[in-house]
Amino acid sequence: MRVILAEDSTLLREGLVRLLAEEGHEVLAAVGDAEALLAEVEATTPDVVVTDIRMPPDHTVEGLRAAVRIRELRPEIGVVVLSQYVERNYATQLLTSSAERVGYLLKDRVAQVEEFLDALERVHAGGAAIDPEVVRQLLIRTTHADPLTRLTPRERTVLEALAEGHTNAAIGEKLHISLSAVEKNLNAIFDKLGLSRTTGYSRRVLAVLRYLES
């Protein structure tokens, strides 16, 4: 895939450039601030953008703003944001805007090379890739939402795997349950969360994201 990187840490940025190149991907640009990121996206045609949330000059939400802007102007481009910590407001702002071609990963996940590359592939393919730790903390913080508290423990584990962007088959493999059991749990989740009449891939991620704002 064709990738643009935005990360102000030179060490991490160059490490990602080398990793992606070794995997056969093309790094179109590697920049250190959000302004340069937007300029490169406008000048080239990347498949996926990987950006840190906090970058110069203020080290607040420059990368997130750039990511949201890219998704507004170029929805065909996948966007993966990297964060040092689970930041609830940033996560919900990015993830609830759309359920497709989006990822939110903790920087520690980059060290898990196979998981990081798999996340990029999922976003490139039109899916979602949400760090398991992000999902876990966001779900913990939304236990006051009545629809979520109605879920059984098994349904909640399926919901977590679903929010990470896994397919039904991958959920079954991850949780060691049959495909029919996955489908049964998903149907129960959709019913309890009031999504039974929603169709398409978006329903799968909305099953989590709709309630992250609660």
Side-chain angles (χ1 to χ4, degrees):
M1 69 186 77
R2 293 157 56 88
V3 182
I4 291 179
L5 299 172
E7 166 62 53
D8 66 317
S9 168
T10 302
L11 183 61
L12 178 55
R13 185 171 69 244
E14 294 305 316
L16 288 173
V17 169
R18 177 173 295 185
L19 169 63
L20 292 173
E22 289 176 350
E23 293 295 322
H25 302 302
E26 181 181 0
V27 179
L28 300 177
V31 300
D33 61 77
E35 184 176 344
L37 168 61
L38 292 173
E40 290 293 344
V41 169
E42 184 177 354
T44 62
T45 308
D47 298 311
V48 177
V49 166
V50 179
T51 179
D52 190 6
I53 283 181
R54 300 187 177 194
M55 289 193 294
D58 298 326
H59 292 280
T60 55
V61 295
E62 290 84 358
L64 175 66
R65 289 175 182 152
V68 172
R69 184 64 174 163
I70 292 167
R71 287 172 61 73
E72 290 174 349
L73 298 177
R74 303 282 296 277
E76 75 278 8
I77 296 176
V79 174
V80 176
V81 300
L82 303 178
S83 179
Q84 191 68 43
Y85 311 102
V86 178
E87 301 179 88
R88 177 185 173 85
N89 291 337
Y90 298 162
T92 54
Q93 182 178 346
L94 179 73
L95 300 174
T96 56
S97 62
S98 174
E100 300 178 348
R101 294 184 177 85
V102 61
Y104 186 107
L105 302 178
L106 296 183
K107 287 190 175 181
D108 287 348
R109 192 66 52 188
V110 176
Q112 308 299 320
V113 174
E114 292 302 322
E115 292 185 33
F116 174 66
L117 294 173
D118 177 67
L120 289 186
E121 292 289 353
R122 273 189 275 154
V123 171
H124 181 216
I130 308 175
D131 195 290
E133 182 62 16
V134 173
V135 174
R136 188 185 72 81
Q137 292 199 29
L138 290 175
L139 284 177
I140 287 173
R141 296 177 186 180
T142 55
T143 54
H144 65 280
D146 289 343
L148 288 178
T149 60
R150 293 172 57 196
L151 301 182
T152 66
R154 170 60 74 188
E155 289 165 357
R156 288 183 68 87
T157 59
V158 170
L159 182 59
E160 290 183 25
L162 177 68
E164 292 168 19
H166 294 297
T167 63
N168 287 10
I171 292 173
E173 182 177 350
K174 178 182 177 72
L175 302 180
H176 306 291
I177 58 178
S178 67
L179 185 60
S180 62
V182 173
E183 293 171 349
K184 180 179 179 180
N185 279 281
L186 287 177
N187 287 331
I189 291 168
F190 296 148
D191 286 341
K192 291 179 181 179
L193 300 186
L195 297 171
S196 57
R197 296 184 180 181
T198 305
T199 60
Y201 174 80
S202 61
R203 178 173 70 168
R204 300 171 61 82
V205 179
L206 285 173
V208 171
L209 301 185
R210 173 179 293 184
Y211 291 92
L212 295 185
E213 295 181 303
S214 301

